[in-house]
Amino acid sequence: MDISLRTHPRTQDLGYSRTWDTGMCSSADARDAVAALLAAARPAPLRRSVQDAQLVVSELVTNAEKHAPGPCALSLELRPGAHALRICVTDTSSSPPRPRPPDPGRVGGHGLHLVRMLSRDLEVTVLPKGKRVTATVPLVSEGGGARGEG
């Protein structure tokens, strides 16, 4: 009797975490972390997906720096077979982010609208000393399909 064996590559979760104790969060460091993490993903996400995730992380980290005094933290999570990158930014303000009314003539103040547009989910969790904002950014692989639920 022949037994058919299928092998599946076992991959581990990909993740990243960083804390800025000084309160001076770095959106440039956050964008670099997203690019490095997604460069290790298989199948590789399309460049557009990487850019979308970089824009979301940049907006979230910038909001934490502008609106919350003190330390902030970033964590990124990509599970094997995931279709999305989970981005979590923690800061010291318990006030939830509030979108400003749309105004095409205004410079700035559009970040939360962009985050909502590019994210599958956006969640705010109030913590004992601040909040965590979690965005789930869909990823499309080189093959053209979504990478799966993540």
Side-chain angles (χ1 to χ4, degrees):
M1 171 183 214
D2 289 333
I3 298 175
S4 174
L5 295 176
R6 285 189 265 176
T7 59
H8 300 280
R10 176 106 173 116
T11 58
Q12 295 181 343
D13 289 359
L14 294 176
Y16 171 88
S17 64
R18 167 91 190 258
T19 300
W20 291 275
D21 292 323
T22 62
M24 295 299 294
C25 307
S26 172
S27 59
D29 288 349
R31 287 189 303 272
D32 290 346
V34 167
L37 183 75
L38 293 180
R42 296 294 175 261
L46 290 176
R47 183 174 181 204
R48 175 65 186 260
S49 290
V50 175
Q51 292 170 334
D52 289 350
Q54 286 178 303
L55 179 56
V56 168
V57 78
S58 184
E59 292 295 339
L60 294 179
V61 168
T62 298
N63 282 347
E65 184 177 18
K66 284 175 76 173
H67 303 291
C72 61
L74 167 67
S75 69
L76 306 172
E77 181 184 337
L78 181 65
R79 292 187 207 116
H83 298 206
L85 176 65
R86 185 177 169 158
I87 300 168
C88 298
V89 176
T90 305
D91 65 42
T92 58
S93 171
S94 58
S95 298
R98 299 191 195 289
R100 294 172 76 183
D103 180 356
R106 181 183 62 233
V107 176
H110 304 283
L112 199 53
H113 295 288
L114 292 171
V115 169
R116 284 184 168 165
M117 185 173 56
L118 296 173
S119 300
R120 183 174 65 207
D121 285 321
L122 182 62
E123 176 182 315
V124 178
T125 305
V126 177
L127 304 171
K129 293 184 179 180
K131 70 178 170 300
R132 179 178 53 246
V133 180
T134 303
T136 304
V137 180
L139 300 175
V140 177
S141 69
E142 296 288 344
R147 292 179 36 113
E149 295 303 315

